[in-house]
Amino acid sequence: RDTDTDKSEKRKEALRFFQLSAKGGDDNGHYNLALMYYNGEEGERDFEQAAHHFRLSVEKGHVKAHLELGLMYLEGKGVERNPKEAQRLLEVAAREGVAEAQYYLGTMLREGVLGGDKEEEEEEVTILRAGVVVSNKEEAIRLFKL
């Protein structure tokens, strides 16, 4: 059975591994390191460091990093709150089939989080659900009963 000391040592070992992996430019290394910072695996949560490493992972095309960084922009954790940037990032993950990203996009539309110019919003908002792409608000509401 693992003791608290054993678990702490394993977390420290994982942190060192992810740091080395990230230093080598690995997208999974950056992603996992970001998760550790986000969750406070080794001390206090550090949302700024989490956002930094999610961003580096996003730059390398990591799909789940798009989801996580998008949510950080939506909530303003470690970055300035920016619903449009959140939408852009979540759309990438949603197009790749990440159901949670699809859910958040639908919720953002339903709750009016996207704001801005109504006409522009209706043209630009993309909702994905079960692989279906819908490019205007009325179609999304009709199709998905939001």
Side-chain angles (χ1 to χ4, degrees):
R1 206 165 194 205
D2 284 342
T3 66
D4 287 342
T5 304
D6 291 338
K7 289 178 184 176
S8 178
E9 287 302 313
K10 287 180 181 179
R11 282 194 302 271
K12 286 179 183 174
E13 185 178 333
L15 179 64
R16 283 190 298 271
F17 174 77
F18 295 142
Q19 286 171 329
L20 279 172
S21 181
K23 188 175 182 178
D26 181 66
D27 62 329
N28 284 313
H30 283 294
Y31 177 77
N32 287 306
L33 190 54
L35 287 175
M36 291 190 82
Y37 283 122
Y38 188 92
N39 293 319
E41 294 291 333
E42 277 302 306
E44 294 293 315
R45 290 177 161 199
D46 188 338
F47 294 127
E48 288 180 11
Q49 278 297 313
H52 170 73
H53 286 283
F54 281 136
R55 191 173 296 108
L56 292 172
S57 191
V58 160
E59 290 172 5
K60 296 189 175 284
H62 195 287
V63 175
K64 285 211 160 189
H66 281 83
L67 166 69
E68 299 297 341
L69 187 57
L71 293 176
M72 291 184 81
Y73 273 104
L74 184 60
E75 298 170 357
K77 285 186 176 178
V79 294
E80 187 173 327
R81 188 174 187 281
N82 184 336
K84 287 290 187 185
E85 181 63 7
Q87 177 188 357
R88 185 188 72 76
L89 290 161
L90 291 170
E91 284 179 348
V92 172
R95 282 192 187 98
E96 293 297 320
V98 178
E100 191 174 358
Q102 296 168 359
Y103 166 80
Y104 278 104
L105 284 170
T107 300
M108 288 170 70
L109 177 62
R110 185 186 70 226
E111 294 180 2
V113 172
L114 299 178
D117 178 33
K118 195 73 166 165
E119 195 171 301
E120 180 182 304
E121 179 182 314
E122 289 176 2
E123 291 174 8
E124 292 182 0
V125 171
T126 301
I127 296 297
L128 294 96
R129 183 168 170 182
V132 178
V133 177
V134 180
S135 60
N136 71 59
K137 190 174 183 176
E138 286 77 28
E139 181 72 7
I141 290 169
R142 183 187 66 72
L143 189 61
F144 303 132
K145 296 178 179 74
L146 291 175

